[in-house]
Amino acid sequence: MSTMSAMNFLRRSDLEKDQFDNLEKHTQWGIEVLEKYIKFVKERAEIESNYAKQLRNLSKKYQTKKNSKEEEESKYTSCKAFQTTLNEMNDYAGQHEVISENMASLITVELTRFVQELKQERKQHFHEGRKAQQHIETCWKQLEASKRRFERDCKEGERAQQYFEKMDADINVTKADVEKARQQAQIRHQMSDDSKGDYSSVLQKFNHEQHEHYFTHIPSIFQKLQDMEEKRIGRMGESLKTYADIDRQVVPIIGKCLDGITKSAESISEKHDSQMVVESFKSGFEPPGDIDFEDFTQSMKRTVSDTSLTKTDSKSDPKVSSKSRNKLWPFIKKNKLSLKLGSTPEDFSNLPPEQRRKKLQQKVDELNKDIQKEIDQRDALTKMRDVYTKNPQMGDAASVGQKLVEIGNNIEKLRVEVHKFEGWLAEVEGRLPARNDSSRRQSGLYDTQNIQTVNNCAQDRESSPDGSYTEDHSQEPEVKVTPTEFDDDFDDEESLPTIGTCKAIYPFDGENEGTISVAEGEILNVIEEDKGDGWTRIRRNEEEEGYVPTSYIEVYLDKNAKGAMTYI
């Protein structure tokens, strides 16, 4: 029976060790799964960070460069939409950076700390389990030792009793030997009784410890391991939810970025962009008229009687052909004057009126910026000179004074340049409606005369067989403008006929003199067509009329109306 108990205990002890080994392997596997998930999230965060960085670099690569040709192109709605897309993609990249940062802080860092705590807790639980096993094994060994000692004392007491009985029955043994054997038997009986009491106490203690071990300590340790494992599993579930929430939180903002791209795409206006191209490159010249027929057979058909008439016609023919050439001059491949000079004139006089105005305005703006830079530098140097004057040890005020003189000279030169270009600009803008009607019409008349004169020279150079040209003032037509002609023009302006209608596609304030304000969608009458300067004259009623930008309206001309003509 004692052997069976020992075997059962040993079997239970081995089984318990096997259970601890299984739990140890399983909990280690659970921690490894958690560490694998942490590694996955960490790599995902790196991917998001790299993706955001690449998106930002891509957006930056295609952003419009300042002071470049692309900046001028950004006025088109399609280019603006593309720039908006690049900006939205930059914000889109920022959301991927948010994903990377949140995954690193809310998952990777937190789970790494949790895994370290989990390892410490696991180590402590298994240490308690091994300690409980060692304690019960020690109690079992004490029980076995006490039992063996009790068994040994009992056997020795039995042998001592048998020896006493044998000595007492033998008549040849002395009384002293018998007494000695009796005392020895009593001692052995006392030792067996003591061993029995010790064994009983140890057995009772072992049973108590065994009960505590299997019903309290080991279940408690197993429960702690179970709680630890459930906490690990629950934490991983929460982390997976956080993983999804991190992506879900940026979805609305990413949606706004995509909505911004869609809105910018919808804002693209084909009509507006094409009209911008027209405004940028229109020349302002009237299309050429029909070329007159030159009859070279007249010299063969003429008779002596009509010689004088023929001579008269022959004198007028060159003028007619010259007039025809004047109408063609904007379409000549290269301006002969510019070709001889070999470079663009400083006043851009080789360009059509509208393009010349834009170039001059651009030049004036650039010069004004340069003047402002010089003024800012002058103000800074003035403050520095004052500081040096008050504190000579900080620097030489005289050296700063020399620089101020140089800057003053530069500012004066730049202002002279601005005045010069503003003069040319005022000359070009004389045809715009910012001026009063009479001066605009008079300026337009003189400009037309000057253009025709220059064109005649250019055509004569082109038509010259050897390419040479000599001015012949005797053949130049004299243009005389009498006050009566101007008076007639002014009288006609008061009652210009309607040549069509127009619809305002954009609102216009009309703050300058000679202009008129219109509202979007308003229908008005056209009384003077665009002369190539970008302005159309319209009338609302008998008392309200003025100029509006041609690009702000859609014009519907009456082909039968007098004065209706198309311009480029």
Side-chain angles (χ1 to χ4, degrees), residues 58-70:
L58 182 65
S59 178
K60 184 178 179 181
K61 178 181 178 182
Y62 288 96
Q63 284 285 354
T64 300
K65 306 296 186 298
K66 291 185 177 180
N67 300 324
S68 66
K69 184 179 179 182
E70 293 180 0

Side-chain angles (χ1 to χ4, degrees), residues 528-568:
E528 185 178 323
E529 199 178 359
D530 187 352
K531 302 297 185 181
D533 53 9
W535 296 84
T536 300
R537 190 172 180 180
I538 61 173
R539 176 186 294 150
R540 179 178 284 113
N541 50 48
E542 294 299 329
E543 296 181 356
E544 291 185 83
E545 64 179 47
Y547 287 87
V548 295
T550 307
S551 59
Y552 280 57
I553 58 175
E554 288 183 355
V555 179
Y556 310 98
L557 294 178
D558 183 2
K559 295 182 179 180
N560 298 325
K562 182 179 180 181
M565 187 177 295
T566 304
Y567 291 86
I568 58 172

